[in-house]
Amino acid sequence: EPLLSKHPNLLRVWLKVFDRDKSMRVSWEDWVGALAKLVARAPAGAPGLPKTQEQVAATWRALDQDCSGWIALREFDTESFDILAAVKRWIDRAHGGMISRALHSAAEARNGAPIEIKACTMAQASKGALKSSLRREAALNKDELHALFEGLDIKDGTIISETDLKFLERWDLAFEDQLLVVEAAHAAEREKTWG
C-alpha cells in the first residue's frame, strides 16, 4: 500500500523501485537495498513496510517461494507479469524478438505505408501506434494497455523509443516458463511421494 501511494501500479513499482536495472529479476541484495531506501524515506511509523531484518526476510521468503534466490515479476505481481509477458511474447513471435522491428511495424501500420529506416537511428513509434498494434496483435484490452503504459512510465507523452522497451529483448521469459514447468513437476512428485 505505501508503494502504491507513490506509484500508479505494481509494474511501475517493480521497474522503478526493485528492478532498477530491468533484468526482470530482483536479487536479495537488490531487495534489501530497495527496502532500506523506502524505509529511510518513509515518514516515521509509516505502516506497511517491513522494517526489521526478520520482516524483510519474511517478505522475501513469501515472494521467493521457489527459493531460486531471486524474485521474478511473475512472483511479485501476476497481473503486471501477464501484461508484460504478452508484449514480450508478441515481440518474439511477430518480430523475432527485436524491439526495433516491433516499433517499425507499429509505425508502418499506423501510417498505412512503408517507412524508410535510416542507418544509426533509434526505432520509435507513437504511443497510439503501439497501442493499436498491441490491441490487435497481442490481444491486450484498454485497461491492460493503460496499466502497461502507466507502468513503463514513458516520459514523452507521444513517442515510444527502442530504448524504452529494450530491456524486453534481454528478458529470458522462455527460461522462466520452463522453470515454472519444472517446479510444478517437482511439486507434483513431492505430493505423490509424501502425500
Side-chain angles (χ1 to χ4, degrees):
E1 189 173 307
L3 296 173
L4 291 175
S5 67
K6 294 186 184 242
H7 301 285
N9 63 28
L10 288 174
L11 178 56
R12 174 111 41 111
V13 171
W14 173 260
L15 294 171
K16 297 290 183 180
V17 176
F18 295 110
D19 187 24
R20 295 181 56 85
D21 66 357
K22 295 185 178 175
S23 63
M24 300 308 291
R25 294 182 181 182
V26 174
S27 69
W28 167 252
E29 292 79 16
D30 293 338
W31 181 255
V32 170
L35 286 176
K37 287 179 187 175
L38 288 170
V39 168
R41 291 182 195 148
L49 289 173
K51 293 173 185 69
T52 67
Q53 188 174 11
E54 290 80 16
Q55 290 171 338
V56 170
T59 306
W60 171 268
R61 183 63 184 100
L63 290 169
D64 185 25
Q65 292 180 2
D66 60 1
C67 296
S68 62
W70 48 273
I71 297 171
L73 179 58
R74 181 188 319 246
E75 295 167 304
F76 182 75
D77 181 50
T78 56
E79 183 179 328
S80 295
F81 169 81
D82 290 342
I83 293 167
L84 205 55
V87 175
K88 168 68 172 163
R89 288 183 176 112
W90 167 69
I91 291 166
D92 287 349
R93 180 185 69 251
H95 304 289
M98 295 180 63
I99 299 299
S100 60
R101 284 186 188 171
L103 291 175
H104 184 77
S105 174
E108 281 188 337
R110 182 70 162 218
N111 200 28
I115 297 174
E116 179 184 350
I117 300 174
K118 297 178 182 173
C120 300
T121 59
M122 192 68 65
Q124 62 184 29
S126 72
K127 190 182 278 189
L130 186 57
K131 280 184 177 182
S132 293
S133 290
L134 289 170
R135 189 177 298 116
R136 190 177 54 254
E137 299 175 30
L140 293 179
N141 66 39
K142 182 180 174 183
D143 292 337
E144 291 167 332
L145 289 167
H146 179 75
L148 173 68
F149 286 97
E150 283 288 314
L152 291 174
D153 189 27
I154 307 296
K155 297 295 184 213
D156 183 327
T158 59
I159 300 296
I160 299 186
S161 76
E162 191 173 345
T163 306
D164 295 324
L165 301 175
K166 195 70 172 170
F167 72 97
L168 292 174
E169 288 183 357
R170 297 185 309 269
W171 185 16
D172 194 351
L173 183 56
F175 170 76
E176 287 186 30
D177 287 343
Q178 185 60 34
L179 188 60
L180 193 64
V181 169
V182 169
E183 290 168 5
H186 285 150
E189 187 63 32
R190 281 192 303 275
E191 180 65 29
K192 189 171 105 179
T193 302
W194 303 103

